Structure formats: C-alpha cells, structure tokens
Amino acid sequence: MKKLLLSFAFVGLCGFVGAQKPIVQTYFTADPAPMVYNDTVYLYTSHDEDSTVNNFFTMYDWRCYSSTDMVNWTDHGAVASLKNIAWFDKNNGAWAPQCIARNGKFYLYVPIHGGGISVLVGDSPTGPFRDVLGKRLIDSEHIWNDIDPTIFVDDDGQAYLYWGNPVLRYVKLNNDMISYDKSIGKNGIVSLEMTGEAFGEAVDRDGKPRTKYVEGPWFYKRNGIYYMVYAAAGIPEYIAYSTATSPVGPWTYKGFIMERAPKLAFTNHSGIIDYKGNSYFFYHSESLTGGGGFRRSVCLEQFKYNADGSIPLIVPTAEGVKESLSALNPYKRVEAETMAWSEGLKTAKDNSKGIYVTKINNGDYIKVSSVDFGKGATTFEASLASAAKGGQIEIRLNSTDGELLGTLDVKNTKGANNWAVQSCKVKAAKGIHDLYLVFKGGEGDLFNFDWWKFSK
Ligand code: FUB
C-alpha cells in the first residue's frame, strides 16, 4: 500500500479518490460493526489484506478501533485472529464480525467463511477474545451461507442472533450468550420466509423471483421499532432496510438507505448507532488509494431519522463526519495511533507497549482533529524507537505545511523496539486546531512512534 500511496502523492492528490472518506488509512477494513460502551464507540471490522490471494476475499483477522469524538479513531490492532480458532484448519475466512457487551463480558460473534458462525469471549472490548466453545456456535446444515451475524438484546433480556446469505435465519441466544434455545425452528434455527413484502421484490440472474435481501444484516431497535438493515439487490450491493414491531417479524420492506455510487465496492455492509445524541451510519467503500472490491475501507456518515422513524437515503460524501464531537486534550498522553487521517503509515503491536505507529517514511504524516491547546503549550514529548538514523517530527497546525510549532529531532535508540521519551520546545499554540505531525528524514523506515503529549 505504501508504494501506491507514494505514487498517488506524486500526482498531487490525497489518499482517497475524491469519493468516500475512509476512517482508517493504515489498513484495509470492511464490514463495520460499531458498539457503544461506556461513552466510547468501539468499531469492530474485518480486515482485507493488502495482498489479495486468488482474486478473492483475503481475510485473516478482526480489528478494533475506538473514538469518543467520531473523527479521531484509535487503533487497537487485531483483537482476534483465525490463528486462535484451533478447530478451523484454514487461514482465510475472517468475515463480518459483531461484538456486544453483556454480563460484564464482551461477545465477539464471527463468521468463518466455510466454517460457520463462532463466538469469542473477552474481558475487555479490545480483547483478547477466546474461543470458549472450541467449535462453531451455530450448529447448522448451511455453513457455507452462515455469514454476517448480527446480535441484539431486547428490553426483556432476550438476545437474538440473525445471520445469513441469501436467507435470513435467527436463533434465540440463552443468557450465557454462547448457546441458544433448541426448542424453536429446526434444532433451534428459524429460517425466515423471504417474501417481497418483507424484503422487497427482485429477480435473480435467471429471471426467477427472489427478494432484495442479500447479506450483511444489522439488527437493532429504536423507539419501539425493530430495524433490519442489510446489503441488497445483488452485485454491486445497495443498502436497504425492513422494520417490524416484534424482534421476530413479520418484517416490512421500507426501501434503500444507500444506493450505488462511484467508489463503493461491489459489496456493501452497514452498522448503525446513536451516540451522544447523533445517529451514525457506517459502511464500506473501495475509495482508499489502492482499494478495490477485496481491499475495502470503512467510512462513516452522520444522518437524522425522519420524524416517523424511517431512515433517509444517505449519500456517501468525501468529508464523512464533518465535526468532532469534542476537543482533544493534548496535555494528556495521546496514543500515536489516534488519528483523523494519516498518509503512508502502518500500526503494529509490541507486547509491552501495545499498538504503535510504524513504517514511518519521509513525508508521511498524522492528522489529529480539534486539538485544544488552551492558553498554549511549551513542550512536545513523544515515545519513540529507532534502529535507523532517526529523523524529525515537524509539529504543525492546520495542514502539512501549516504554522510550524517546533521540530523534534528523533535520535537513534539502538533498536526499533527500544523506546525512549524525546522532547522539544514548541511555540505556544492557543485555542483549537487540527494538529499535523509531519515526518521527515532520509531513505527507508525512520522510527517507531508510541505516544505523544504537550506540556505547558
Ligand atoms: O467481508 C466478506 C463479506 O463481504 C461479508 O461477510 C459480506 O457482508 C460482504 O461485505
């Protein structure tokens, strides 16, 4: 991806093709599943590898990001991987996940393409997640089509797990969230009758009737209405939705939410939340530089429900979410992997340090939105590690060539994981600005970057 980013920069454009704005730039991410927990949005994603194998989905692990302002996102890395699922003997197939919190635990439901739906359990929203069952959760005859789990716990405590392509099925989860009521449907699994009234009328490639529903369901309740939002209408996919007055239907088709648009991928997949009084629609596109149908990127739009609870048509924009919900405090340690935008970078994990920013080359940068400098900072410090000559961090306001507050000369620390806090004096910046950390140096990887902080 790095080479592509550099060549793109060469033609004088930025890192997405004037279409939808990906909220993650360090990896290709897909199948967004947001979860609001303790005032923070945790976003679980699948992960398209940079190198696609056999021209098909190449997906080995699931990633997590978090935000409290909907503009700056912190990378928590891969929180689960097919490597941790001992009973599955292939390394590919980590498709669309969803996590929910219950009983003081976090349940990450994952489809393993060709292996069915599993549940992984963690003690924190960012894992680690364990394969507690040692086998798939959904005991079904359709494992090839058992993809895209979506989970909702109703007000009476009953949890429902819906999933499937091209038929929607559900189970009623037991309170332990890792087993389900076997007394309903076929061995506990209820297959919905896929009618035009419920999911919209369509025809398949051979002209036979089918519904618009394809895959990627997102199930939730709002103001007494149950919503089923899903990928619809074949390839390339629209996003459509149906509603019901009970968690098990009957469902009524309501129409499209997102139509096809340039730079949307041939799949689409949505997640919807309300957060701090606003409504947000997550989807994926292929708009990050180097993107494609198997190298997708999660994007985000804010929207408003209509007064009757219906969802308006949402048009993907180049800006995505336009305003941060709160200003960021630069006087508390900020993880380097917290960013509103970046160019040319990757993140990696160090067992003692956690996630850090790596693959830092000359000209790469991090943008952090809406940083509140208050009455002014005097010092910038950062935790850095360099096995090479080091380089510089230019600390700038508002753009990559905006006002220069100071330059930190990053010294060699005798190892790419030998961390040292290094600092420099800065000109006092006042008020709220976008902060740009612009990396300069010679050829190759310059240094690794764990966190930064200003002081007064
Ligand atoms: O990411 C792999 C598959 O593509 C998902 O499971 C579908 O929803 C589609 O997005």
Side-chain angles (χ1 to χ4, degrees), residues 220-246:
Y220 65 102
K221 183 184 186 181
R222 188 176 186 274
N223 294 340
I225 302 174
Y226 294 86
Y227 293 82
M228 188 69 71
V229 180
Y230 45 86
I235 301 291
E237 293 173 341
Y238 286 74
I239 298 292
Y241 78 115
S242 302
T243 61
T245 52
S246 111

Side-chain angles (χ1 to χ4, degrees), residues 30-32 46-48 56-59 93-97 111 113 147-149 164-165 214-217 231 235 237 265-270 284 293-294 296:
D31 303 324
S46 57
H47 165 208
D48 289 335
F56 192 59
F57 296 111
T58 307
M59 305 169 78
W95 285 18
H113 190 228
I147 61 168
D148 298 352
N165 170 338
V214 179
E215 59 184 1
I235 301 291
E237 293 173 341
F266 71 88
T267 62
N268 204 344
H269 191 117
S270 58
H284 67 221
F294 302 122
R296 299 160 292 176

